[in-house]
């Protein structure tokens, strides 16, 4: 999404104001300050339009859409092709702003949302990378449901739209990417499951294919570079192999469409293999709408159509750019380009009005599924939602719980944590993020209901001595280090809250290196040396940080990664520090050493390691090299054991396609997944998870598979995960379904999914198991 330079965020207060919201809403309703919004279209009070065919809610949506498009003039149609769609007064249709954001809460980054009046703010959940660390699918969907409740409430009062261009489901390929914080991490299975569940939460389960709000999965595809070493996203040509595209980059989008049934997909700025994604009919028309059968619209990233003409010089004329994008499958332009140049494209014979009609059919269908052509919103599903349904205690409690579940314990030397309220009565709270507010909510955030900073959270458990140590995360000097060291000497324990913020990693700002900025490392080392009690390093960041020094330093007792934990981040951090919460998060990305980025260009899109040129590869699935912390790593205050209760040891795969030769080549390369009956190839596993410690805990059980040795370059790949709560001294049984075609397959160089024959190794927690996959000698149709 293009950075919105016009957004001026107001100063944020640390005091929660949920009570203020309720008070204001009562005043507004009582004195008529705010009235429910007038209908977007088909107002029953409007005698000119209420009997029009497209206004009859009892008719099938496709009939209504066809009727409306037939009534529009060409100029009216063209003005509906852009995000700030123009009104059609003669048909009773208001103007509509399509661009709204809801990455981890209703946001005012896009122009479709306005805070103020009865809606001073909305619940701000942890940044996505933090929530992903929970490995909790039900949590992801619950967050989406809360966000859409608040979005609908604001729409009903006329301060927000119903189309939200979230979530970001790109793969976190490179640790330097400034927008990695917006994603669910580096694993395509995790990102795909997050996409589907968050979208389901946002869009709801209304009858008749109706939508609560319309979500959008972005940025399709292979988009994960913003501005690095003189290369920006507006000019970048991502050279991606068919293997990596099918095996990694497209996986979350496919899941979003097929499992999440998302209402929209956004194409990206970059080119893929020499072609802008928003003008690539193979990516849009053939794949998203053809193979995956998207029921919704395709939108450009903001000004992408203009970028492919002005910056990438992909077409000779602007009319050609308009024609190529619409014919490729683009339905809506975030930006003015199509409104300006579509008429010219039609006049020059490059485009037909029929093509415009097809684009409008997709966007208007989504609006009708949202009820925007059904008259008065209050009479529709979700019409009861209003100011009292925003920033509710339940919503804010879910934001706190999400932050607790996303925190990852990376080091805990000699069980230094949790801290004790009896032994650690005075805590030195030090660091540039120790009293952070805005930093905690990351980017694409709105105005939260309120903040609890780390300093405030810790202050609820112990007396605090506060020293920032640095003037901001850049930490350009060490003038304040002496006061920080003195505070550590006086305290029973020391908590250093360090890391990054949006001045270091953000949209349009990729990092150069992975070390802590400025003199932060020096501050941590000096304070740890001075501290008389345990020293805990808490890191706020979206991307990974090379903190090898702290990992090795025995004076640093514990390391916690809090990501960007949202409005309640300070409470969640303190709860983990003092043991009210037992941490259960696990890293959704690899933490590489600084040396990695010194030898790997961010522009190299290849995922697999290449020994011939020393290329180490990317992500835990393919990377061959040392790590600071690994994908899936995360400690607990208790201990868990796993036992395989039921685990099949072999499976036979039967070919369902005639004339497929069974020879040594087929057996060594694996059979194509589409040549067998995948629906019958699901294996059931039962695992007992036992809590052998003395503290109740929630455990993320991760299951990995490794293909037979051979030409496959995968280290291992995640095939499933489950979150399970296990009380101390008890055990819980977990069932896993392993789908052979999906989980025991690999993708070849041509992008074809194959099932290798032989022994596949499974890693289920601390248990290892082997499954023999064999080709059946009996063929059947």
């Amino acid at each position: 999404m293009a950075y919105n330079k016009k957004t001026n965020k107001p100063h944020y207060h640390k005091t929660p104001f949920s009570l203020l919201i309720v008070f204001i809403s009562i005043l507004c309703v009582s004195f008529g300050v705010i009235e429910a919004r007038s209908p977007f279209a088909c107002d029953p009070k409007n005698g000119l339009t209420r009997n029009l065919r497209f206004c009859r809610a009892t008719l099938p949506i496709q009939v209504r859409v066809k009727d409306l498009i037939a009534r529009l003039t060409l100029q009216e149609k063209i003005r509906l092709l852009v995000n700030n769609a123009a009104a059609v007064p003669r048909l009773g249709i208001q103007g509509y702003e399509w661009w709204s954001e809801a990455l981890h809460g209703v946001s005012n980054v896009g122009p479709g949302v306005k805070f103020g009046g009865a809606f001073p703010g909305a619940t701000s959940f942890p940044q996505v990378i933090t929530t992903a660390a929970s490995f909790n699918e039900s949590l992801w969907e619950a967050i989406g449901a809360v966000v859409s409740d608040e979005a609908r409430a604001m729409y009903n009062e006329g301060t927000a739209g119903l189309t939200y261009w979230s979530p970001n489901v790109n793969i976190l390929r490179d640790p330097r990417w400034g927008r990695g914080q917006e994603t669910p991490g580096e694993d395509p299975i995790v990102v795909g499951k997050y996409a589907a569940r968050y979208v389901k939460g946002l869009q709801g389960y209304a009858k008749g294919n109706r939508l609560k709000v319309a979500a959008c999965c972005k940025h399709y595809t292979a988009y994960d570079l913003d501005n690095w070493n003189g290369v920006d996203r507006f000019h970048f040509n991502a050279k991606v192999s068919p293997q990596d595209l099918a095996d990694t980059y497209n996986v979350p989008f496919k899941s979003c469409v097929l499992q999440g049934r998302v209402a929209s997909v956004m194409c990206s700025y970059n080119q893929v293999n020499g072609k802008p994604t928003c003008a690539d009919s193979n990516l849009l028309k053939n794949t998203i709408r053809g193979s995956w059968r998207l029921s919704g619209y395709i939108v450009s990233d903001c000004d992408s159509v203009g970028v492919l003409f002005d910056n990438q010089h992909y077409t000779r004329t602007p009319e050609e750019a308009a024609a190529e994008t619409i014919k490729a499958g683009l339905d809506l332009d975030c930006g003015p380009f199509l409104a300006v140049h579509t008429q010219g494209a039609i006049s020059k014979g490059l485009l037909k009005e029929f093509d415009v009609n097809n684009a409008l059919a997709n966007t208007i269908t989504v609006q009708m599924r949202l009820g925007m052509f059904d008259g008065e919103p209050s009479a529709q599903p979700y019409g009861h939602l209003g100011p009292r349904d925003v920033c509710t205690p339940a919503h804010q409690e879910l934001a706190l719980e999400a932050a607790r579940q996303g925190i990852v314990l990376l080091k805990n030397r000699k069980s230094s944590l949790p801290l004790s309220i009896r032994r650690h009565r005075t805590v030195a709270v030090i660091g540039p993020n120790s009293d952070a507010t805005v930093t905690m909510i990351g980017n694409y955030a709105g105005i939260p209901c309120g903040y609890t900073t780390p300093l405030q959270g810790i202050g609820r458990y112990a007396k605090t001595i506060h020293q920032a140590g640095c003037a901001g995360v850049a930490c350009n000097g060490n003038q304040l280090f002496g006061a920080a060291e003195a505070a550590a000497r006086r305290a029973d324990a020391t908590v250093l809250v360090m890391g990054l913020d949006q001045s270091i990693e953000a949209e349009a700002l990729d990092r150069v290196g992975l070390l802590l900025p400025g003199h932060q490392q020096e501050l941590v080392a000096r304070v740890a040396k001075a501290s008389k009690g345990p020293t805990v390093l808490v890191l706020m960041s979206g991307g990974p940080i090379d903190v090898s020094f702290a990992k090795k330093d025995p004076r640093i007792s514990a390391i916690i990664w809090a990501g960007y934990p949202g409005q309640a981040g300070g409470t969640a951090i303190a709860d983990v520090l003092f043991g009210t919460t037992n941490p259960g998060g696990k890293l959704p990305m690899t933490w590489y050493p600084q040396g990695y980025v010194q030898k790997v260009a961010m522009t190299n899109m290849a995922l697999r390691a290449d020994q011939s040129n020393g290329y180490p590869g990317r992500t835990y699935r393919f990377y061959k090299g040392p790590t600071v912390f690994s994908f899936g790593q995360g400690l607990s205050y208790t201990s868990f054991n796993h036992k395989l209760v039921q685990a099949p040891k072999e499976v036979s795969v039967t070919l369902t396609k005639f004339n497929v030769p069974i020879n040594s080549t087929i057996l060594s390369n694996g059979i194509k997944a589409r040549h067998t009956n995948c629906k019958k190839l699901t294996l059931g596993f039962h695992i007992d998870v036992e809590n052998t410690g003395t503290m109740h805990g929630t455990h993320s059980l991760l299951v990995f598979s490794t293909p037979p040795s051979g030409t496959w370059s995968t280290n291992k790949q995640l095939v499933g995960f489950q979150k399970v709560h296990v009380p101390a001294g008890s055990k819980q049984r977990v069932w896993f379904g392993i789908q052979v075609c999906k989980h025991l397959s690999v993708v070849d160089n041509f992008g074809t999914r194959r099932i290798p024959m032989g022994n596949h190794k499974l890693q289920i927690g601390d248990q290892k198991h082997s499954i023999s996959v064999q080709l059946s000698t009996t063929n059947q149709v």
Side-chain angles (χ1 to χ4, degrees), residues 14 38 131 145 193 272 275 309 449 464 499 655 721 731 765 774:
K14 299 175 186 178
S38 59
T131 305
K193 285 181 179 290
V272 173
K275 199 162 191 177
F309 173 70
C449 311
T464 58
L655 290 174
F721 56 89
K731 59 185 175 183
Q774 302 298 331

Side-chain angles (χ1 to χ4, degrees), residues 59-60 100 113 119 121 163 183 319 323 389 391 405 456 466 511 513 626 636 650 735 760 776:
L59 291 176
S100 295
V113 172
F119 299 100
T163 49
T183 77
E319 292 80 13
D389 300 293
C391 286
Q405 291 194 28
Q456 291 172 326
H466 180 231
R511 284 188 288 165
S636 171
E650 60 182 13
W735 182 87
H760 293 250
S776 173

Side-chain angles (χ1 to χ4, degrees), residues 267-341:
C267 51
S268 53
Y269 291 116
N270 57 291
Q271 296 184 351
V272 173
N273 299 326
K275 199 162 191 177
T277 63
C278 292
D280 192 330
S281 60
N282 184 53
L283 288 176
L284 306 187
K285 185 176 290 184
N286 295 347
T287 303
I288 298 178
R289 198 169 295 286
S291 299
W292 302 343
R293 303 186 69 80
L294 171 72
S295 177
Y297 69 97
I298 299 174
V299 61
S300 74
D301 204 339
C302 291
D303 297 318
S304 283
V305 185
V307 163
L308 70 87
F309 173 70
D310 294 321
N311 300 74
Q312 299 173 4
H313 309 296
Y314 183 70
T315 61
R316 291 182 301 107
T317 68
E319 292 80 13
E320 289 175 337
E324 289 215 22
T325 52
I326 292 175
K327 288 194 293 186
L330 186 69
D331 302 310
L332 185 69
D333 176 19
C334 179
F337 198 92
L338 291 186
V340 175
H341 299 292

Side-chain angles (χ1 to χ4, degrees), residues 656-675:
T656 58
K657 184 177 177 64
F658 286 125
N659 302 321
V660 176
I662 301 175
N663 52 41
S664 59
T665 302
I666 289 289
L667 294 177
S668 61
N669 290 343
I671 68 167
K672 294 180 180 179
R674 66 175 181 266
H675 287 172

